Amino acid sequence: MKRQLLPEARAGVGAAFVLLALVLTAEVADGIRADYVGLLAAAPFLAAAFASWPEVLAVGGTSTLLAFLFSSVELMHSRDRALVLMFNLGGVIVASGIACAVGAIRQRRIAQYAELSRLASVAQGAVLRPLGPQVGPLTVAARYISASAAADIGGDLYEALDTPYGVRMIIGDVRGKGLDAVRLASIVLGSYRHVAFERADLRAIVADLDRAVARSLGDEDFVTAALIEERGGTLTIVNCGHPAPLLLRRGRVVPLDPPANAPPLGFMPVVKPRVERLEPGDRLLFFTDGLAEARRDGEFFPTAERAQRLLGHGTVGDGLKSLESALLEWVRGRLDDDIALVLVEYQGVKPPTPVPSWEIGGAGVASS
């Protein structure tokens, strides 16, 4: 299969051949003297800065061929500078070989980095399972926006579960980045996926998660989290140092701040629930502090001011796409922290399907 060159590799090889063309032009204009042969050694190094060894070999081979031709033309007319010409030709050959080795090392490093990035994405994908599109009476969409274009890996976390106690969700943020953050996020999510089905009270879940986090924390680590429960149209939120969710209702945006502040998980938070009654069509945005702290020229992204216009249209997935586009435009494509976003819409409790009267009376008719 033909290997496709990356844009930067094409640019590097193109620049190298432009240099060769300039040297060729100068040599032709200079006559029979090969005064510029030494400059040909620069072309393979220019290619090696951007391309892999096969492309560098092509440039090096072309440089060597041109150096040989120019040197041969001068030697046919005069051997006064034979030693200098041989030295220049040898230099081009050695430079081409070194440049090919550099290109091979660069290609191997790029392949290793790509594999590490792939493994990191797989590891995070195993931690953050896809949400939705429907969990109980909630329509759910989630997005993870990485601050790094090279690898989607960080400590932001989310989960939504349909439990005997209603739909339960968590969104959280582990301090730090990299595999250590993913490891701690996996501990939080693993514990949550178990206790969410076992504990009737969200405060008991917080206590269980706090103990799990405390056993795994480093000296400067912590985990902020918000836990949500929807049961029969009643929304309960407990917040452990996490940004408050936003409620979108009939054109208004209401921050669901906790009744009292509580520290993050790992610091024995004592939480007080906030309870809201949901209405069909309500939307709720849960996010990590990467969104709250996204700024341009010192000005924070106006999440609450734009939430209704960005999130209130189409499906919940459409809303998150609009928010992400507006956010990246605001920060000019440069984020300082990863961001997890979860948008849900309450569909309301569906009434039980009525049983037709002919089915109710069917047994009696058959038995009479």
Side-chain angles (χ1 to χ4, degrees):
M1 186 175 65
K2 187 177 180 180
R3 187 167 62 90
Q4 296 292 327
L5 288 181
L6 295 175
E8 58 268 25
R10 288 197 295 268
V13 173
F17 277 107
V18 168
L19 175 60
L20 293 179
L22 292 175
V23 174
L24 174 61
T25 302
E27 284 289 357
V28 171
D30 196 43
I32 62 174
R33 285 178 59 88
D35 292 328
Y36 304 104
V37 167
L39 295 177
L40 294 171
F45 283 113
L46 180 59
F50 301 96
S52 301
W53 71 266
E55 293 78 36
V56 178
L57 180 61
V59 173
T62 305
S63 299
T64 302
L65 178 60
L66 290 175
F68 176 77
L69 290 175
F70 295 145
S71 299
S72 298
V73 169
E74 181 173 345
L75 288 173
M76 289 173 60
H77 294 81
S78 171
R79 294 184 176 273
D80 293 343
R81 298 197 315 143
L83 184 61
V84 173
L85 293 175
M86 292 301 101
F87 179 80
N88 287 340
L89 177 60
V92 173
I93 295 173
V94 171
S96 298
I98 294 174
C100 286
V102 171
I105 295 172
R106 181 178 180 275
Q107 183 179 17
R108 186 164 59 250
R109 293 282 177 85
I110 290 175
Q112 291 173 344
Y113 186 73
E115 180 64 12
L116 287 175
S117 297
R118 187 188 69 82
L119 291 175
S121 296
V122 170
Q124 190 168 48
V127 173
L128 292 180
R129 302 184 300 197
L131 296 188
Q134 192 76 29
V135 184
L138 301 178
T139 303
V140 183
R143 293 183 77 82
Y144 192 99
I145 308 173
S146 176
S148 170
D152 296 334
I153 184 164
D156 293 17
L157 58 97
Y158 49 74
E159 182 61 285
L161 303 169
D162 195 357
T163 76
Y165 306 102
V167 176
R168 285 180 163 176
M169 298 174 51
I170 184 173
I171 186 164
D173 188 1
V174 177
R175 182 186 180 277
K177 297 179 181 179
L179 289 176
D180 287 340
V182 174
R183 177 188 61 82
L184 188 51
S186 69
I187 292 172
V188 174
L189 286 175
S191 300
Y192 178 75
R193 287 164 182 157
H194 173 70
V195 298
F197 288 90
E198 303 295 329
R199 304 296 189 190
D201 193 323
L202 288 180
R203 288 169 292 189
I205 296 178
V206 169
D208 289 337
L209 295 181
D210 179 68
R211 287 191 292 270
V213 168
R215 287 192 293 267
S216 307
L217 279 178
D219 293 337
E220 299 181 357
D221 295 334
F222 58 83
V223 182
T224 67
L227 283 74
I228 305 98
E229 176 185 282
E230 183 282 322
R231 188 189 308 191
T234 298
L235 181 74
T236 305
I237 303 173
V238 294
N239 197 314
C240 305
H242 198 77
L246 299 179
L247 170 64
L248 285 69
R249 173 180 292 169
R250 297 197 297 270
R252 295 186 303 112
V253 178
V254 181
L256 299 180
D257 296 310
N261 294 326
L265 296 173
F267 293 95
M268 296 183 291
V270 178
V271 294
K272 292 186 178 181
R274 172 161 183 163
V275 180
E276 296 284 336
R277 188 66 186 174
L278 292 176
E279 300 177 4
D282 282 351
R283 289 191 174 185
L284 294 147
L285 175 66
F286 306 97
F287 55 93
T288 53
D289 60 5
L291 176 62
E293 297 174 358
R295 54 185 166 225
R296 177 186 66 192
D297 300 329
E299 185 178 358
F300 291 101
F301 180 72
T303 304
E305 290 81 353
R306 295 193 180 187
Q308 182 61 44
R309 180 168 59 86
L310 295 172
L311 301 172
H313 68 92
T315 66
V316 288
D318 294 335
L320 286 188
K321 289 178 183 177
S322 296
L323 176 60
E324 180 179 0
S325 298
L327 173 66
L328 293 178
E329 181 182 359
W330 178 269
V331 299
R332 302 187 180 99
R334 299 182 61 181
L335 291 169
D336 295 326
D337 195 7
D338 295 353
I339 301 173
L341 303 171
V342 180
L343 183 63
V344 305
E345 181 174 338
Y346 177 62
Q347 301 295 326
V349 178
K350 296 182 179 180
T353 303
V355 180
S357 58
W358 60 268
E359 287 191 5
I360 297 175
V365 173
S367 62
S368 60

